[in-house]
Amino acid sequence: MDDLDPVSLAVPFFILAIVLEIVLARMGLVRANYEPKDTFTSLAMGLGSSVAGLATAGVIFAASLWVYQHRLFDIPMTAVWAWVLVFLLEDKIYYWFHRLAHERRFWWASHVNHHTSQHYNLSTALRQTWTGGVAGTWLLWLPLSLIGFPPAMVAIQKGISLVYQFWIHTEAVGKMPRWFETVFNTPSHHRVHHARNPRYLDRNYAGILIIWDRMFGTFQPELEGEPCRYGIVKNLATFNPIRVAFHEWAAIGRDLMGARSLRDAALYLFGRPGWSPDGSRETSEQIRARWAAAAGAARPSPATGAETGLTPDVRSESPA
Amino acid sequence: MPPGEDTALDQAFLIQFTGSMAAVAVLVGLAAWARIGRPAPGLDEARARDLLGEDFPEQRIDQLWIAREGKGALARSGACALVLVQVGDGYAARRLSWCQATSAMFKNGLLDIRLGEVAAPRAVLAFDNWPPADLAA
Ligand SMILES: [Zn+2]
Ligand SMILES: [Zn+2]
């Protein structure tokens, strides 16, 4: 199984690509910023994530095997149509997993790790969660095995998606050809996803195909007039990987201890990140709405607003 | 699993883990050698106001003090203190009560503010004196 794992196979390529990005940036040939402490944290998170993954991999694979035993159809791993189908379905599941991971605090507590860097380079791609297995989002992929895709096939497709998402964590690539930007997730689209600018918050959840964001109303192009500022709404003041891995879980724990009702406890756990009973904190939606109102007020007329790129671009949420 | 296979697996894991640690060390060393962080010239008042404005756009700044060498800043905003602390070549901002800022430990020219978060345990800012001499009543 390990021989077929695209992620394990790609590790040497990851390392070489990071070396290349650093050296080319040093020579002034590409755009990339690396801060050594930040790089250490990203790589330590990646290493820790693969160790933590070993602990839960067995349970996850056993669960998908069990579900597969109760499958509805027999899907051959050798058919091209089966690979096309698993590619599309897996990528759509990834979109909804990723959206859930941003919009509900319990899953955000695990995923936030990936967003804690104020940098955006290939090492950021390896800044992965340690608590993904515990967060249980892997359950979202089980229906694929229930339909009848062999668990190994699903695991390979998940790996392909992860490997694809490595190369897009770079500032070295500006924009890809237009047709590519229309269909695929790209460095430009994913830079927006990692940005903390109000306009860019909680946008572009795509794995490989950006079409899901376009379909479900969460797409936001990168604007020339608005450079991405990377990180999270409240940036971390530490490089300690242990703190990075567990800070949001600890914050949830503290909130739960102080919760005054079951409803508050439930919303602290499963509400939007930034929810609080007294409204003293802000969710991404509230930040964006406040920004949009301010940008709207600052805008003399719609025409000039569009030119300066200040037009609020608030899209309605699609039904979840 | 036959006996022996278990230890072989452990050994393979150990080799892989050690190799990965070495790769991490090499890459971090390379990043340090390259010196390609963001230029961080130290804060001046305008930059500190900009950065605080990103995190607290609606918070009026009454007074602002820049830490020595521009490595952080502290602002008074009514009953609140806004803290800007340098993190590598970036910054993190936090809001706390003004009381927390005035009662923070000040020793050897360093103001040590406990932020009380796992994500941001403390902010250490270098000032010549604290509370500042020009603090408005
Ligand atoms: Zn994300
Ligand atoms: Zn990413």
Side-chain angles (χ1 to χ4, degrees), chain A residues 31-115:
Chain A
R31 181 179 167 167
N33 288 122
Y34 275 79
E35 203 280 336
K37 287 193 273 260
D38 173 86
T39 308
F40 165 75
T41 306
S42 291
L43 299 178
M45 293 304 294
L47 187 54
S49 170
S50 55
V51 174
L54 288 177
T56 43
V59 177
I60 295 170
F61 203 71
S64 58
L65 270 180
W66 182 81
V67 171
Y68 184 64
Q69 281 165 5
H70 301 83
R71 64 189 173 275
L72 302 173
F73 305 101
D74 280 310
I75 299 175
M77 219 170 140
T78 44
V80 174
W81 64 263
W83 280 103
V84 172
L85 203 60
V86 80
F87 165 71
L88 289 171
L89 290 175
E90 195 283 331
D91 204 48
K92 190 174 178 184
I93 289 173
Y94 183 88
Y95 170 87
W96 284 107
F97 143 73
H98 198 182
R99 188 161 169 177
L100 178 75
H102 276 257
E103 294 188 349
R104 299 291 151 188
R105 195 181 182 197
F106 182 79
W107 294 288
W108 173 242
S110 161
H111 181 64
V112 63
N113 296 182
H114 179 61
H115 287 278

Side-chain angles (χ1 to χ4, degrees), chain A residues 129-204:
Chain A
T129 181
W130 293 3
T131 51
V134 181
T137 37
W138 50 272
L139 290 164
L140 294 170
W141 277 264
L142 288 185
L144 289 178
S145 300
L146 183 67
I147 294 171
F149 290 101
M153 191 177 187
V154 177
I156 290 170
Q157 186 52 46
K158 280 176 88 169
I160 290 171
S161 177
L162 205 81
V163 172
Y164 177 86
Q165 289 178 59
F166 172 75
W167 82 275
I168 61 178
H169 289 86
T170 184
E171 291 186 297
V173 177
K175 295 226 177 186
M176 299 295 287
R178 207 186 161 117
W179 67 269
F180 197 91
E181 295 278 345
T182 306
V183 181
F184 289 100
N185 195 9
T186 62
S188 175
H189 296 329
H190 202 60
R191 282 196 287 270
V192 164
H193 181 66
H194 274 256
R196 64 198 287 267
N197 315 36
R199 185 201 295 274
Y200 293 156
L201 284 178
D202 287 359
R203 289 293 178 258
N204 301 359

Side-chain angles (χ1 to χ4, degrees), chain A residues 219-233:
Chain A
F219 177 67
Q220 168 64 49
E222 183 184 30
L223 302 176
E224 220 165 279
E226 186 157 350
C228 295
R229 301 191 303 267
Y230 305 111
I232 51 177
V233 169

Side-chain angles (χ1 to χ4, degrees), chain A residues 2 7 29 38 48 110 124 164-165 224 236 247 287 294 313:
Chain A
D2 209 36
V7 181
L29 296 175
D38 173 86
S110 161
T124 315
Y164 177 86
Q165 289 178 59
E224 220 165 279
L236 305 195
H247 71 95
I287 293 171
D313 185 34

Side-chain angles (χ1 to χ4, degrees), chain B residues 13-34:
Chain B
F13 170 78
L14 216 71
I15 291 168
Q16 221 169 1
F17 189 74
T18 315
S20 303
M21 296 248 277
V24 169
V26 168
L27 290 175
V28 173
L30 191 69
W33 162 81

